[in-house]
């Protein structure tokens, strides 16, 4: 009988991809997925360390497994990903019934480690070297990019896939734990990326999203010279079956003209750029060690508008970073008003032990001030997003249909299915249709909009092969 695997994933797209790959490698060892922890032979948490809250939630989830482990001692419980690398043995100390702790640079070992545990070898810990544990080469080598087989069943949809082009980060923003847990920045060879994209295309994938912590810093030096992200976009554009190419997340200082030109000139590349500003205040940016002044961010933003007037630009902001005054915060509000981002992810600062920020600065903005600033910035951003989406009323957009919306799961059998998809600029569109349309790119006219969603009607009823079956 097949062994059962339960996996929970939190965090960024990189983690979603890691989980897909771990599941694919475990399927090869006879595992099959289950949605029920109780019946699982192996329970894995793929974790995130960017904020404390995400880590504490994993400990709570582990706490809920304590009794299950007592009743079923053979159930393998594992913590993988960033928190495994960040906490290492502490995970065993805080949850002594955990069997497996594996960092993001060691995921290729997961299947063998599970076998070892099943054979009675006891708890297993595999992590990569810390940034100060050796030369850059040595540390980099200990963080392996894990990009083996793919598993379409694990993807949000079979026609969309993430492709890793870079691991790690070298920017060392003072608030951020990522450079410690994901190691030095390393770009994958372009021929590996292209081979993977071609395989995905052959398997029916239409949209690929290139992933890197600072994706536009991608640079591969090989025998044939240096490959930049823009070169990679041109090469990927040649794969006929791929209809859309996206890339996240961008670092403002590396948003070079060759990249903007590639985005402008390549019709399959989505006119969507996620370029986090983090703050609108030079004082704060300096303490964050972001590496640019706000004037440079503004200049970069103006360049994007010049090259790509219709592009959707999105950002991340941290509010309540150490020393952030009301005036600093107002400068973030001003930047949002001025740049009119399509969307911003806003986070309250969370001190991460092990970062320069934790070492150098006090976490001195009170929680209620962080919360108020978060809400205030979000309200400004939401109003802009609503006005921006309002521009689409009465217009026609191309939607890659992803599947039934959450709302449609509450509908009765005789009501039409509500489908959800995205435009080339990453705007979410919902419309009434039928499951045959899933996986196709269709024109929709927009008749209503709010800050997060465009409501559309499909203009032509597509009749084509069924690419999607509703399984849950
Ligand atoms: N506290 C709050 N937000 C953080 N981010 C990164 N580190 C922290 C932290 N310590 C945010 C940044 C980043 C996003 C992925 O998470 O805005 O762009
Ligand atoms: Fe963290 Fe800065 Fe690297 Fe982004 S660029 S992962 S915020 S250190």
């Amino acid at each position: 009988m097949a062994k059962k695997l339960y996996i929970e994933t939190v965090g960024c797209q990189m983690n979603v991809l890691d989980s897909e790959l771990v599941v694919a490698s475990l399927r090869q060892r006879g595992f099959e997925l289950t949605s029920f922890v109780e019946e699982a032979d192996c329970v894995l948490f793929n974790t995130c360390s960017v904020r404390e809250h995400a880590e504490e939630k994993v400990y709570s989830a582990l706490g809920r497994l304590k009794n299950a482990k007592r009743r079923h001692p053979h159930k393998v419980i594992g913590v993988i990903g960033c928190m495994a690398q960040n906490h290492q043995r502490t995970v065993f100390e805080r949850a002594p019934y955990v069997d497996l702790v594996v960092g993001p640079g060691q995921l290729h070992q997961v299947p063998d480690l599970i076998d070892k545990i099943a054979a009675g070898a006891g708890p297993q810990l595999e992590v990569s070297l810390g940034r100060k544990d050796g030369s850059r080469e040595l540390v980099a080598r200990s963080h392996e990019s894990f990009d083996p087989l793919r598993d379409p069943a694990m993807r949000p949809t079979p026609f969309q896939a993430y492709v890793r082009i870079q691991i790690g980060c070298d920017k060392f923003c003072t608030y951020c734990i990522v450079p410690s847990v994901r190691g030095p920045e390393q770009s994958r060879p372009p021929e590996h990326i292209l081979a993977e994209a071609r395989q995905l295309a052959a398997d029916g994938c239409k949209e690929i999203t290139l992933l890197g912590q600072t994706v536009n810093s991608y640079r591969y030096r090989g025998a044939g010279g240096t490959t930049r992200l823009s070169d990679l976009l041109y090469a990927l554009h040649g794969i006929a079956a791929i209809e859309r190419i996206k890339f996240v997340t961008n670092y403002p200082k590396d948003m070079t003209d060759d990249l903007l030109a590639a985005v402008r000139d390549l019709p399959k590349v989505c006119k969507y750029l996620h370029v986090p500003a983090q703050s609108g205040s030079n004082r704060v940016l300096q303490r964050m060690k972001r590496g640019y002044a706000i004037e440079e961010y503004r200049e970069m933003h103006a360049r994007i508008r010049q090259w790509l007037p219709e592009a959707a630009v999105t950002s991340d902001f941290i509010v309540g970073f150490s020393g952030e005054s009301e005036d600093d915060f107002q400068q973030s509000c001003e930047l949002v008003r001025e740049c009119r981002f399509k969307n911003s992810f806003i986070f309250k600062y969370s001190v991460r032990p092990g970062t320069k920020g934790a070492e150098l600065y006090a976490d001195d903005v009170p929680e209620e001030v962080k919360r108020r600033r978060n809400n205030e910035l979000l309200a400004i951003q939401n109003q802009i997003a609503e006005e921006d989406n309002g521009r689409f009323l009465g217009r026609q957009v191309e939607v890659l249909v992803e599947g039934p919306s959450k709302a449609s799961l509450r509908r009765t059998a005789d009501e039409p299915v509500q489908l959800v998809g995205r435009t080339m600029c990453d705007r979410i569109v919902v419309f009434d249709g039928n499951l045959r349309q899933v996986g196709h790119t269709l024109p929709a006219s927009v008749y209503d909009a709010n800050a997060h969603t465009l409501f559309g009607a499909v203009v032509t009823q597509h009749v084509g092969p069924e690419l999607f079956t509703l399984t849950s």
Side-chain angles (χ1 to χ4, degrees):
M1 222 177 63
K3 294 170 282 180
K4 296 228 156 76
L5 168 70
Y6 174 90
I7 185 162
E8 248 177 54
T9 308
V10 291
C12 62
Q13 290 108 321
M14 207 59 109
N15 271 14
V16 174
L17 173 57
D18 282 340
S19 287
E20 177 190 330
L21 302 175
V22 166
V23 170
S25 64
L26 286 173
R27 271 191 211 273
Q28 287 221 316
R29 299 284 177 100
F31 275 96
E32 165 178 290
L33 279 174
T34 172
S35 333
F36 304 102
V37 180
E38 309 80 56
E39 64 170 30
D41 300 286
C42 177
V43 178
L44 294 180
F45 294 96
N46 191 4
T47 58
C48 171
S49 287
V50 166
R51 283 167 289 275
E52 184 185 5
H53 182 63
E55 293 187 333
E56 286 312 313
K57 271 172 77 173
V58 173
Y59 283 117
S60 305
L62 288 172
R64 289 191 293 274
L65 284 179
K66 195 170 172 179
N67 286 330
K69 179 71 176 178
R70 200 174 298 141
R71 284 194 305 272
H72 306 283
H74 294 297
K75 203 187 269 286
V76 173
I77 299 177
V79 175
I80 63 173
C82 292
M83 186 181 127
Q85 179 70 35
N86 196 25
H87 284 197
Q88 308 196 359
R89 290 191 185 285
T90 309
V91 178
F92 294 131
E93 284 155 23
R94 287 188 61 176
Y97 42 90
V98 166
D99 303 284
L100 182 69
V101 173
V102 184
Q106 300 295 325
L107 295 177
H108 55 283
Q109 302 209 47
V110 167
D112 284 348
L113 293 169
I114 291 177
D115 282 352
K116 262 189 171 169
I117 294 163
Q124 300 291 317
L125 169 78
E126 284 296 340
V127 288
S128 301
L129 293 176
R131 294 296 294 238
K132 292 185 180 141
D133 292 343
S135 68
R136 186 190 157 83
E137 262 64 59
L138 199 66
V139 178
R141 230 177 301 132
S142 84
H143 285 266
E144 274 189 48
S145 187
F146 178 56
D147 299 288
L149 353 118
R150 308 294 307 235
D151 191 341
M154 263 307 281
R155 294 206 284 269
T157 76
F159 26 85
Q160 296 172 296
Y162 294 126
V163 174
R164 195 185 335 260
I165 68 166
Q166 177 199 57
I167 62 169
C169 180
D170 279 346
K171 308 294 188 210
F172 285 102
C173 303
T174 56
Y175 52 81
C176 188
I177 196 71
V178 168
S180 313
V181 293
R182 287 199 175 258
E185 180 185 315
Q186 300 181 72
S187 294
R188 285 181 73 204
E191 54 279 14
H192 292 192
I193 297 165
L194 278 162
E196 198 175 323
R198 283 195 199 99
Q199 185 57 53
L200 284 164
D203 292 343
C205 186
K206 296 184 165 188
E207 177 186 286
I208 56 172
T209 302
L210 309 178
L211 296 185
Q213 232 58 246
T214 54
V215 73
N216 55 339
S217 320
Y218 175 90
R219 217 152 252 275
Y220 188 84
R221 289 174 191 88
T226 299
T227 308
R228 303 162 298 179
L229 176 58
S230 54
D231 303 315
L232 206 52
L233 291 176
Y234 276 96
L236 290 163
H237 204 266
I239 303 175
I242 300 289
E243 292 177 13
R244 288 184 179 187
I245 307 169
K246 303 184 195 177
F247 53 91
V248 284
T249 288
N250 292 286
Y251 185 64
K253 262 182 83 168
D254 292 332
M255 197 51 97
T256 47
D257 285 351
D258 61 292
L259 179 58
L260 295 181
V263 177
R264 182 194 59 188
D265 295 340
L266 297 171
K268 294 179 181 178
V269 176
C270 294
K271 278 49 183 164
Y272 156 63
L273 297 171
H274 182 56
V275 207
Q278 308 298 0
S279 168
S281 151
N282 274 333
R283 259 189 75 238
V284 176
L285 289 172
Q286 217 160 40
R287 287 158 74 88
M288 288 178 165
K289 259 184 100 232
R290 279 292 282 177
Y292 52 84
I294 200 60
E295 293 75 20
E296 292 170 86
Y297 188 91
R298 287 199 159 92
E299 180 275 328
M300 176 221 62
H301 189 264
R303 236 169 352 98
I304 296 178
R305 287 277 171 257
Q306 197 185 327
W307 285 84
L308 305 158
E310 278 299 304
V313 182
T314 61
S315 180
D316 290 348
F317 283 91
I318 295 177
V319 294
F321 184 63
S322 166
E324 186 190 66
S325 67
E326 200 52 35
D327 181 54
D328 292 322
F329 168 66
Q330 286 307 327
Q331 294 181 46
S332 292
C333 298
E334 194 42 48
L335 189 75
V336 171
R337 285 194 200 96
E338 192 185 307
C339 292
R340 296 188 64 81
F341 298 110
K342 184 203 84 167
N343 167 27
S344 290
F345 296 100
I346 301 164
F347 306 101
K348 293 180 287 179
Y349 175 52
S350 166
V351 196
R352 304 293 41 229
T355 60
K356 274 281 171 225
E359 189 187 314
L360 297 177
Y361 309 123
D363 182 17
D364 54 3
V365 178
E367 182 57 29
E368 63 274 17
V369 175
K370 286 181 185 171
R371 199 175 321 126
R372 199 250 307 144
R373 289 181 186 167
N374 191 332
N375 292 341
E376 207 175 310
L377 196 54
L378 199 60
I380 296 169
Q381 176 61 65
N382 279 346
Q383 196 190 333
I384 291 166
E386 192 170 340
E387 288 165 12
D388 189 51
N389 273 348
R391 295 186 301 128
F392 287 86
L393 291 174
R395 275 166 65 180
Q396 194 165 304
V397 291
E398 289 283 308
V399 187
L400 174 57
V401 187
E402 295 179 356
S405 71
K406 281 197 196 108
S408 87
L409 301 176
R410 291 191 296 271
R411 290 187 174 180
T412 58
D414 45 350
E415 285 178 290
V417 187
Q418 188 186 58
L419 298 171
V420 60
R422 277 171 202 264
T423 68
M424 270 299 243
C425 286
D426 209 49
R427 291 186 166 83
I428 295 168
V429 184
V430 299
F431 65 96
D432 283 348
N434 68 56
L435 291 176
R436 263 201 325 271
Q437 294 164 319
V438 176
H440 295 279
T441 307
L442 305 173
S445 341
V446 178
Y447 64 83
D448 197 5
N450 64 27
H452 310 287
T453 312
L454 304 177
F455 298 87
V458 161
V459 181
T460 52
Q461 284 292 319
H462 182 92
V463 183
E466 196 144 330
L467 299 178
F468 178 85
T469 44
L470 193 56
T471 48
S472 58

